[in-house]
Amino acid sequence: MTIACIGLGSNLGDSARTLRDAWKTLGDYPGIIPDRLSSPYRSEPVNMDSANWFVNAAAVVRTSLEPAELLAVLLRVEHRFGRSRDR
């Protein structure tokens, strides 16, 4: 297993809940074991127009996935929770 550090964040709806739910969802994927999640913190949007602040956290997962596979899972989780990258 490899240790990977990832960032999580949300600025829409109940951002703290979305972040927690996305974290739990990572454990549903084979080859990913959620290990540690930091306390959430709020941050102001930078270089974007948004009235909503972000809720962010840093996390550590253990994974048997290759980097590209892990990224694909993270992008699927983003999409599942409403992230649109076409903006």
Side-chain angles (χ1 to χ4, degrees):
M1 292 292 247
T2 299
I3 294 174
C5 298
I6 61 173
L8 294 91
S10 172
N11 74 328
L12 299 175
D14 185 346
S15 293
R17 182 181 184 143
T18 298
L19 191 140
R20 285 190 307 270
D21 291 348
W23 173 245
K24 290 176 187 173
T25 298
L26 287 173
D28 295 340
Y29 287 88
I32 299 177
I33 300 170
D35 192 6
R36 291 181 300 254
L37 180 66
S38 74
S39 298
Y41 59 94
R42 287 176 30 103
S43 63
E44 187 173 7
V46 176
N47 296 327
M48 67 179 292
D49 289 330
S50 176
N52 304 314
W53 281 46
F54 283 84
V55 175
N56 299 293
V60 175
V61 297
R62 288 180 284 138
T63 184
S64 59
L65 302 178
E66 292 296 320
E69 294 171 313
L70 177 59
L71 178 58
V73 168
L74 295 173
L75 293 173
R76 280 196 296 274
V77 171
E78 276 189 346
H79 182 74
R80 178 176 172 181
F81 284 90
R83 170 74 189 267
S84 173
R85 288 190 167 265
D86 60 340
R87 297 181 209 167

